[in-house]
Amino acid sequence: MYDSERSLDPKDEKRLKTRGIGSGRKYEPFIKVHEISSKGESYRIFGRNSSRPHHLLSRLELSAFLIFDRYYLTVDIKEQYPLPIVDTLSICERLGIKHPQILGKLKVVTTDLVIELKNKNGLAVAVKYAEDLNDMRTVEKLQIEKVFWEQQGYEWKLFTEQEISAAIKENLEWLHAAHQNSNDLYTELSLSDIQLVYQRFTGSEKRLSTVCSALDDEYSCEPGFHIGVTRKAIAANLIDVPLGKVFRQWSCSDLSLTHSLTLIEGYALDVS
């Protein structure tokens, strides 16, 4: 039996009626974290661009998501994006490979992250651990994705754990937590507030955390205020930092004010 003669998995057919459609807050991923077994590594995390929870199926997906969610040209990210079955069947026939299926039923091919960029063509990202690339079926599925997205005029990228360092991953997770912080102390911050805090520690060569703690005492602020404001400003791309160095080691002189941050060392520079 030809793949084109096989029926679609009923579960996938049902999901396609409501998922993988729309953008921003209205987008619903094809696969959600509670629907899969991910070895205990799955995350629901609020997106700064989409203003909705994103469903990420591994720690590596989380790292990739945080990089692109922070990238200054990103306007939307769609995770677990389903590719049209008609297109993937056609691509498989052309490539001479078997379409993904389970128990004789066709399975929808998904792309881990689809990033919509301001004034640029989009970017499709397949997130895979390097060891998974030893599996031929995994490689074939990646070929399907690559052909599909290139047909759509999107750039296609493969993202592995080798793309970013442990320091960048830790920093991005620390900054994302700051972006999620709803503490009333930080909700009404203006650019002038951030500049004022920045001016208080600028020029010092001492450790940022040490100086911020001393400033809290000097200005009779709640403990953690200065580092909290700074963390919020970095998360909002208003202060530039060396993401290649773990945040605990930043000195005051490592920071600089900026109005447009182009993701420093690491994978996202490749996007521009």
Side-chain angles (χ1 to χ4, degrees):
M1 179 184 292
Y2 294 109
D3 284 345
S4 57
E5 298 173 339
R6 297 182 184 278
S7 59
L8 183 61
D9 180 273
K11 188 180 295 184
D12 284 6
E13 188 172 10
K14 181 179 179 180
R15 288 175 178 170
L16 284 175
K17 293 178 181 179
T18 58
R19 302 189 187 182
I21 303 169
S23 59
R25 291 186 180 184
K26 296 182 178 180
Y27 177 79
E28 189 174 356
F30 186 73
I31 304 171
K32 298 184 178 182
V33 296
H34 66 276
E35 296 169 335
I36 53 96
S37 173
S38 58
K39 301 177 183 177
E41 289 191 324
S42 59
Y43 304 85
R44 289 180 77 253
I45 193 164
F46 198 77
R48 61 192 292 150
N49 293 287
S50 65
S51 298
R52 69 170 177 83
H54 289 257
H55 293 248
L56 307 166
L57 308 185
S58 71
R59 190 173 185 83
L60 186 58
E61 275 192 22
L62 173 65
S63 295
F65 174 82
L66 291 177
I67 281 182
F68 290 106
D69 198 43
R70 182 174 172 80
Y71 184 48
Y72 79 113
L73 286 179
T74 297
V75 295
D76 193 16
I77 299 179
K78 301 174 184 178
E79 76 281 18
Q80 324 311 334
Y81 185 87
L83 309 190
I85 192 72
V86 173
D87 292 292
T88 55
L89 279 169
S90 175
I91 292 169
C92 284
E93 183 178 3
R94 195 182 340 150
L95 296 178
I97 60 178
K98 188 176 182 180
H99 193 283
Q101 53 192 265
I102 292 181
L103 300 177
K105 302 291 186 181
L106 298 175
K107 296 296 292 180
V108 168
V109 176
T110 59
T111 293
D112 298 313
L113 300 173
V114 178
I115 296 99
E116 304 296 344
L117 302 172
K118 188 183 304 181
N119 302 323
K120 295 183 67 171
N121 289 338
L123 176 69
V125 180
V127 181
K128 291 289 180 287
Y129 288 98
E131 65 178 8
D132 293 338
L133 301 180
N134 295 322
D135 179 68
M136 181 55 66
R137 284 301 288 164
T138 297
V139 173
E140 288 178 345
K141 179 180 176 295
L142 294 175
Q143 288 180 307
I144 298 170
E145 290 186 57
K146 184 176 187 294
V147 172
F148 173 81
W149 287 111
E150 289 178 348
Q151 288 177 345
Q152 307 306 309
Y154 279 57
E155 185 177 3
W156 181 86
K157 291 276 189 179
L158 176 61
F159 186 103
T160 74
E161 69 273 21
Q162 298 169 356
E163 306 294 341
I164 56 175
S165 68
I168 292 178
K169 285 190 285 187
E170 185 172 358
N171 287 336
L172 288 170
E173 291 177 18
W174 182 70
L175 291 174
H176 188 275
H179 183 68
Q180 301 291 83
N181 187 348
S182 60
N183 191 317
D184 289 341
L185 278 173
Y186 311 122
T187 53
E188 300 298 328
L189 286 176
S190 67
L191 184 58
S192 60
D193 294 328
I194 293 167
Q195 288 174 325
L196 177 61
V197 168
Y198 174 79
Q199 288 168 1
R200 288 176 179 175
F201 63 71
T202 188
S204 173
E205 296 294 330
K206 294 182 179 180
R207 191 71 57 87
L208 176 66
S209 56
T210 301
V211 172
C212 284
S213 179
L215 288 172
D216 289 342
D217 292 337
E218 181 180 349
Y219 290 93
S220 300
C221 297
E222 180 177 316
F225 175 78
H226 282 81
I227 193 66
V229 171
T230 304
R231 185 180 180 187
K232 268 284 191 181
I234 297 168
N237 292 341
L238 296 174
I239 291 181
D240 198 359
V241 292
L243 286 187
K245 181 194 294 188
V246 177
F247 65 88
R248 292 182 298 274
Q249 299 176 354
W250 291 341
S251 65
C252 295
S253 59
D254 285 328
L255 281 64
S256 60
L257 283 177
T258 179
H259 294 290
S260 62
L261 185 62
T262 60
L263 245 213
I264 49 115
E265 319 118 340
Y267 183 81
L269 280 175
D270 230 15
V271 177
S272 57

